[in-house]
Each structure stands twice: as structure tokens, then as C-alpha cells.
Amino acid sequence: MKAGSISRVYTIIVLAGPTGVGKTKISLYLAEKLGGEIVSMDSMQVYRYMNIGTAKPGSRERKQIPHHLLDIVDPDDTYNTGRFIRDAGAAIKDIVQRGKIPFLVGGTGLYMKGLLEGMSQIPPVPADIREKIKKQLNDFGHDSLYRKLQEIDSATADRISVNDSQRLIRALEIYETTGRPWSEFLFDDEKGGHQEGEVVYNPFKVCLNSAREVLYDRINRRTYRMIDNGLVHEVEGLLARGYRPDLPALQSIGYHHMINYIEGVWEEGEAIELMARDTRRYAKRQLTWFSRDQEIHWFQPEDKRLILEEIRSWLKKQAA
């Protein structure tokens, strides 16, 4: 790559970690201390009307620190990594131009990787292949197709839930169309590198983690807190607005469980227990994903002052 071929290098701070670990609290502290603004890296917080079940920062947090990419699409809209890369890129540019530091905060590792490393192009999937896989899902169920995905693309299987119909279908249709796993298309090293005129991000990556029993206890307590805060009412409101229960957004953790409770599939206690269990499993998958990134600096949530010192030291080196 020729010197000067990249149009701009943006220095950013990434704060990642599993769901429930305490990213929101730490991000507010760091952004306030360092003059930053927060760009959400959460695949569910983009949706309007979905606040409680996504643990979306509330009005108090948003008044304290400006947030970006919250409430930007409706639940029946399709939001993906490509859209996130464009939206996050625009937000980061705006933040930097106003002299602030962008903080990319969330637990969606695919979004982080896509933004920082780029994506290769996936060929269009013929409609007949997509319909065939949808029929297979309907005929044989999620478990059968998920086992197939584990055989052909274990990397993708590791990052999605067995009940994630949208991504399960997407992964299988890509493989059937191209003969290649989705994970290879997302980040194809042979097509790596940046083209002239692209923005390049210079990140300092922080990932929070706690002892497994501590994290799981936090998740369990947060699950009950969401119920107490009105998650069932929130889901009823979404259904009353006309949003179909089979929408990908409403098949996510928490919403899928409350829909099954509302429709009488599960008793309330069973729905809550399964919601907590699936959230714990999701947190485990997130940690597996982030553990593969050798650039990440790991901290406990209690280490906020140490994290601040490390970021300050790194920023000084970048400015030198």
C-alpha cells in the first residue's frame, strides 16, 4: 500500500464484553473522563420500541454522554453488518470532526470485526435456494439445521444461537450457493487490505470480563430486573403495533421468550428461566468470540481507573 493512499486514520476506543458484564457504566465513566461520545455496537439496540429487553441506555445516560446508533430502525426493518459499518463510520467521522473521541461500545463482535477489518462481497443467493432452506427449517426444525451448520461452518455456529432463524438460514444459503462458509466470506484474508481513499481505524480494544459465577449471577439478576421493569408489557406493545412475532428482531433473547409466555407456550417461570439460560449461553459465545482477538486488553469491571490510565497512556503515544 502506498504511503498516503488512505484518506484518513481515525483513532477510536473499543469497549466490548459479554452481555450483563457492566459495559454501560464503564463506558459512561470513560467517555466523561476523556471527552468522548458513544457509538453503540449492539445489534439489538438499533431498534425502536425495544428498550427493556435490549438493556438500552436510558434518557439519563444519553443526557450524560451523547449516544449514536440507538433507535435508528423499526423492528420490521433488516439491519446487518454492512449497514452498521456505514452508520458507525458516519457517526465516528462526525464525532472526530467535533474534536471528541469515539467509543465503540457493545457486545456484537461481528460488528466490531466488520468495521475494523472490512467485509468481502457475498454473491446473491438465488430465491429457490433460500426458499428450500426455509422449508427445511420448517420441516426439520432449528436443531437439525444448526447441527448441519456446525459441520460446515463451526465459526459461524459458535457466534449465533440455535434459535436465530435469520442467521441460520443466511449461513446455510451462502454455503449452498457458493460452497464456502459464511465466515470465510466475512473476513477473507486473501482479499484483505485497504483500498485507496478508505478510512482506517486505529483502535484500542478493551474487553470486560468477570469470573463466570459472578457474570452468570449478574445475568440472572438482570433478567428478573427486566421482568420487574415491564418487559412483558413492552413485548405486548410491540405486538399491538402490528409487528409479527416471527420477525428476526422479535426472535431475539428476551422477546422470543416473552412472546412464548404471552402466547401460552410457556408458563411465566419457565419463560424467565429459559431467558436467563439463553442469555448465559449467549454471553459464553461472546467471550469465545472476543478471546480469539489477540489485540484485546482484558479487564474486570472494577478496574475502571486502571482502564482509564491505560487508555490515556495509549492516546498520548498516538499523538506523539
PDB file of all heavy atoms in Angstrom, residues 229-246:
ATOM      1  N   ASN A 229     -39.225  -4.486  35.403  1.00  0.00           N
ATOM      2  CA  ASN A 229     -39.301  -3.178  34.734  1.00  0.00           C
ATOM      3  C   ASN A 229     -40.338  -3.134  33.623  1.00  0.00           C
ATOM      4  O   ASN A 229     -40.545  -2.082  33.013  1.00  0.00           O
ATOM      5  CB  ASN A 229     -37.934  -2.791  34.178  1.00  0.00           C
ATOM      6  CG  ASN A 229     -36.939  -2.443  35.268  1.00  0.00           C
ATOM      7  OD1 ASN A 229     -37.318  -2.145  36.401  1.00  0.00           O
ATOM      8  ND2 ASN A 229     -35.658  -2.461  34.936  1.00  0.00           N
ATOM      9  N   GLY A 230     -40.977  -4.281  33.323  1.00  0.00           N
ATOM     10  CA  GLY A 230     -42.072  -4.262  32.360  1.00  0.00           C
ATOM     11  C   GLY A 230     -41.778  -4.863  31.006  1.00  0.00           C
ATOM     12  O   GLY A 230     -42.374  -4.448  30.002  1.00  0.00           O
ATOM     13  N   LEU A 231     -40.902  -5.855  30.935  1.00  0.00           N
ATOM     14  CA  LEU A 231     -40.580  -6.454  29.643  1.00  0.00           C
ATOM     15  C   LEU A 231     -41.800  -7.078  28.978  1.00  0.00           C
ATOM     16  O   LEU A 231     -41.984  -6.944  27.762  1.00  0.00           O
ATOM     17  CB  LEU A 231     -39.475  -7.506  29.805  1.00  0.00           C
ATOM     18  CG  LEU A 231     -39.038  -8.232  28.523  1.00  0.00           C
ATOM     19  CD1 LEU A 231     -38.584  -7.243  27.461  1.00  0.00           C
ATOM     20  CD2 LEU A 231     -37.951  -9.255  28.812  1.00  0.00           C
ATOM     21  N   VAL A 232     -42.653  -7.728  29.759  1.00  0.00           N
ATOM     22  CA  VAL A 232     -43.853  -8.338  29.171  1.00  0.00           C
ATOM     23  C   VAL A 232     -44.722  -7.265  28.526  1.00  0.00           C
ATOM     24  O   VAL A 232     -45.201  -7.428  27.393  1.00  0.00           O
ATOM     25  CB  VAL A 232     -44.655  -9.108  30.238  1.00  0.00           C
ATOM     26  CG1 VAL A 232     -45.969  -9.617  29.642  1.00  0.00           C
ATOM     27  CG2 VAL A 232     -43.840 -10.282  30.781  1.00  0.00           C
ATOM     28  N   HIS A 233     -44.903  -6.158  29.222  1.00  0.00           N
ATOM     29  CA  HIS A 233     -45.705  -5.056  28.680  1.00  0.00           C
ATOM     30  C   HIS A 233     -45.054  -4.493  27.415  1.00  0.00           C
ATOM     31  O   HIS A 233     -45.754  -4.142  26.450  1.00  0.00           O
ATOM     32  CB  HIS A 233     -45.862  -3.964  29.732  1.00  0.00           C
ATOM     33  CG  HIS A 233     -46.658  -2.785  29.276  1.00  0.00           C
ATOM     34  ND1 HIS A 233     -48.020  -2.843  29.044  1.00  0.00           N
ATOM     35  CD2 HIS A 233     -46.282  -1.493  28.992  1.00  0.00           C
ATOM     36  CE1 HIS A 233     -48.455  -1.663  28.635  1.00  0.00           C
ATOM     37  NE2 HIS A 233     -47.411  -0.828  28.593  1.00  0.00           N
ATOM     38  N   GLU A 234     -43.728  -4.402  27.397  1.00  0.00           N
ATOM     39  CA  GLU A 234     -43.035  -3.893  26.209  1.00  0.00           C
ATOM     40  C   GLU A 234     -43.289  -4.797  25.008  1.00  0.00           C
ATOM     41  O   GLU A 234     -43.557  -4.308  23.896  1.00  0.00           O
ATOM     42  CB  GLU A 234     -41.536  -3.796  26.483  1.00  0.00           C
ATOM     43  CG  GLU A 234     -40.729  -3.284  25.298  1.00  0.00           C
ATOM     44  CD  GLU A 234     -39.285  -2.993  25.668  1.00  0.00           C
ATOM     45  OE1 GLU A 234     -39.019  -1.879  26.164  1.00  0.00           O
ATOM     46  OE2 GLU A 234     -38.411  -3.875  25.468  1.00  0.00           O
ATOM     47  N   VAL A 235     -43.230  -6.096  25.229  1.00  0.00           N
ATOM     48  CA  VAL A 235     -43.461  -7.042  24.131  1.00  0.00           C
ATOM     49  C   VAL A 235     -44.916  -6.991  23.676  1.00  0.00           C
ATOM     50  O   VAL A 235     -45.205  -7.024  22.468  1.00  0.00           O
ATOM     51  CB  VAL A 235     -43.066  -8.465  24.558  1.00  0.00           C
ATOM     52  CG1 VAL A 235     -43.422  -9.473  23.470  1.00  0.00           C
ATOM     53  CG2 VAL A 235     -41.572  -8.535  24.874  1.00  0.00           C
ATOM     54  N   GLU A 236     -45.836  -6.892  24.618  1.00  0.00           N
ATOM     55  CA  GLU A 236     -47.249  -6.746  24.243  1.00  0.00           C
ATOM     56  C   GLU A 236     -47.461  -5.499  23.403  1.00  0.00           C
ATOM     57  O   GLU A 236     -48.253  -5.505  22.449  1.00  0.00           O
ATOM     58  CB  GLU A 236     -48.113  -6.698  25.506  1.00  0.00           C
ATOM     59  CG  GLU A 236     -48.204  -8.030  26.237  1.00  0.00           C
ATOM     60  CD  GLU A 236     -48.919  -7.908  27.571  1.00  0.00           C
ATOM     61  OE1 GLU A 236     -48.947  -6.795  28.141  1.00  0.00           O
ATOM     62  OE2 GLU A 236     -49.464  -8.922  28.052  1.00  0.00           O
ATOM     63  N   GLY A 237     -46.775  -4.429  23.745  1.00  0.00           N
ATOM     64  CA  GLY A 237     -46.877  -3.194  22.977  1.00  0.00           C
ATOM     65  C   GLY A 237     -46.365  -3.359  21.554  1.00  0.00           C
ATOM     66  O   GLY A 237     -46.951  -2.809  20.608  1.00  0.00           O
ATOM     67  N   LEU A 238     -45.272  -4.108  21.381  1.00  0.00           N
ATOM     68  CA  LEU A 238     -44.747  -4.361  20.041  1.00  0.00           C
ATOM     69  C   LEU A 238     -45.748  -5.155  19.202  1.00  0.00           C
ATOM     70  O   LEU A 238     -45.978  -4.849  18.027  1.00  0.00           O
ATOM     71  CB  LEU A 238     -43.426  -5.125  20.140  1.00  0.00           C
ATOM     72  CG  LEU A 238     -42.225  -4.313  20.636  1.00  0.00           C
ATOM     73  CD1 LEU A 238     -41.115  -5.242  21.116  1.00  0.00           C
ATOM     74  CD2 LEU A 238     -41.709  -3.399  19.529  1.00  0.00           C
ATOM     75  N   LEU A 239     -46.343  -6.159  19.811  1.00  0.00           N
ATOM     76  CA  LEU A 239     -47.341  -6.963  19.091  1.00  0.00           C
ATOM     77  C   LEU A 239     -48.576  -6.124  18.766  1.00  0.00           C
ATOM     78  O   LEU A 239     -49.168  -6.259  17.681  1.00  0.00           O
ATOM     79  CB  LEU A 239     -47.719  -8.188  19.921  1.00  0.00           C
ATOM     80  CG  LEU A 239     -46.571  -9.168  20.226  1.00  0.00           C
ATOM     81  CD1 LEU A 239     -47.063 -10.281  21.152  1.00  0.00           C
ATOM     82  CD2 LEU A 239     -46.005  -9.757  18.934  1.00  0.00           C
ATOM     83  N   ALA A 240     -48.946  -5.231  19.686  1.00  0.00           N
ATOM     84  CA  ALA A 240     -50.103  -4.368  19.461  1.00  0.00           C
ATOM     85  C   ALA A 240     -49.851  -3.382  18.324  1.00  0.00           C
ATOM     86  O   ALA A 240     -50.790  -2.940  17.650  1.00  0.00           O
ATOM     87  CB  ALA A 240     -50.449  -3.609  20.741  1.00  0.00           C
ATOM     88  N   ARG A 241     -48.592  -3.033  18.094  1.00  0.00           N
ATOM     89  CA  ARG A 241     -48.238  -2.148  16.982  1.00  0.00           C
ATOM     90  C   ARG A 241     -48.301  -2.871  15.641  1.00  0.00           C
ATOM     91  O   ARG A 241     -48.160  -2.247  14.588  1.00  0.00           O
ATOM     92  CB  ARG A 241     -46.829  -1.585  17.174  1.00  0.00           C
ATOM     93  CG  ARG A 241     -46.703  -0.520  18.254  1.00  0.00           C
ATOM     94  CD  ARG A 241     -45.241  -0.092  18.421  1.00  0.00           C
ATOM     95  NE  ARG A 241     -45.095   0.934  19.437  1.00  0.00           N
ATOM     96  CZ  ARG A 241     -45.168   2.239  19.212  1.00  0.00           C
ATOM     97  NH1 ARG A 241     -45.380   2.676  17.981  1.00  0.00           N
ATOM     98  NH2 ARG A 241     -45.019   3.105  20.194  1.00  0.00           N
ATOM     99  N   GLY A 242     -48.500  -4.187  15.673  1.00  0.00           N
ATOM    100  CA  GLY A 242     -48.616  -4.954  14.440  1.00  0.00           C
ATOM    101  C   GLY A 242     -47.356  -5.669  14.013  1.00  0.00           C
ATOM    102  O   GLY A 242     -47.322  -6.259  12.919  1.00  0.00           O
ATOM    103  N   TYR A 243     -46.337  -5.650  14.843  1.00  0.00           N
ATOM    104  CA  TYR A 243     -45.108  -6.353  14.489  1.00  0.00           C
ATOM    105  C   TYR A 243     -45.291  -7.855  14.692  1.00  0.00           C
ATOM    106  O   TYR A 243     -45.723  -8.293  15.754  1.00  0.00           O
ATOM    107  CB  TYR A 243     -43.934  -5.831  15.314  1.00  0.00           C
ATOM    108  CG  TYR A 243     -43.591  -4.391  15.005  1.00  0.00           C
ATOM    109  CD1 TYR A 243     -43.741  -3.398  15.966  1.00  0.00           C
ATOM    110  CD2 TYR A 243     -43.144  -4.034  13.737  1.00  0.00           C
ATOM    111  CE1 TYR A 243     -43.440  -2.073  15.677  1.00  0.00           C
ATOM    112  CE2 TYR A 243     -42.843  -2.714  13.432  1.00  0.00           C
ATOM    113  CZ  TYR A 243     -42.998  -1.737  14.402  1.00  0.00           C
ATOM    114  OH  TYR A 243     -42.707  -0.429  14.095  1.00  0.00           O
ATOM    115  N   ARG A 244     -44.942  -8.619  13.661  1.00  0.00           N
ATOM    116  CA  ARG A 244     -45.136 -10.064  13.699  1.00  0.00           C
ATOM    117  C   ARG A 244     -44.169 -10.719  14.684  1.00  0.00           C
ATOM    118  O   ARG A 244     -42.990 -10.362  14.756  1.00  0.00           O
ATOM    119  CB  ARG A 244     -44.923 -10.686  12.318  1.00  0.00           C
ATOM    120  CG  ARG A 244     -45.807 -10.133  11.225  1.00  0.00           C
ATOM    121  CD  ARG A 244     -45.688 -11.005   9.968  1.00  0.00           C
ATOM    122  NE  ARG A 244     -44.333 -11.480   9.736  1.00  0.00           N
ATOM    123  CZ  ARG A 244     -43.403 -10.800   9.072  1.00  0.00           C
ATOM    124  NH1 ARG A 244     -43.689  -9.582   8.598  1.00  0.00           N
ATOM    125  NH2 ARG A 244     -42.206 -11.324   8.878  1.00  0.00           N
ATOM    126  N   PRO A 245     -44.629 -11.708  15.424  1.00  0.00           N
ATOM    127  CA  PRO A 245     -43.756 -12.374  16.391  1.00  0.00           C
ATOM    128  C   PRO A 245     -42.614 -13.149  15.761  1.00  0.00           C
ATOM    129  O   PRO A 245     -41.648 -13.473  16.438  1.00  0.00           O
ATOM    130  CB  PRO A 245     -44.699 -13.306  17.152  1.00  0.00           C
ATOM    131  CG  PRO A 245     -45.890 -13.463  16.273  1.00  0.00           C
ATOM    132  CD  PRO A 245     -46.017 -12.192  15.503  1.00  0.00           C
ATOM    133  N   ASP A 246     -42.705 -13.444  14.436  1.00  0.00           N
ATOM    134  CA  ASP A 246     -41.629 -14.203  13.793  1.00  0.00           C
ATOM    135  C   ASP A 246     -40.562 -13.296  13.179  1.00  0.00           C
ATOM    136  O   ASP A 246     -39.624 -13.784  12.534  1.00  0.00           O
ATOM    137  CB  ASP A 246     -42.195 -15.133  12.720  1.00  0.00           C
ATOM    138  CG  ASP A 246     -42.899 -14.372  11.583  1.00  0.00           C
ATOM    139  OD1 ASP A 246     -43.236 -13.185  11.773  1.00  0.00           O
ATOM    140  OD2 ASP A 246     -43.114 -14.983  10.517  1.00  0.00           O
TER     141      ASP A 246
END
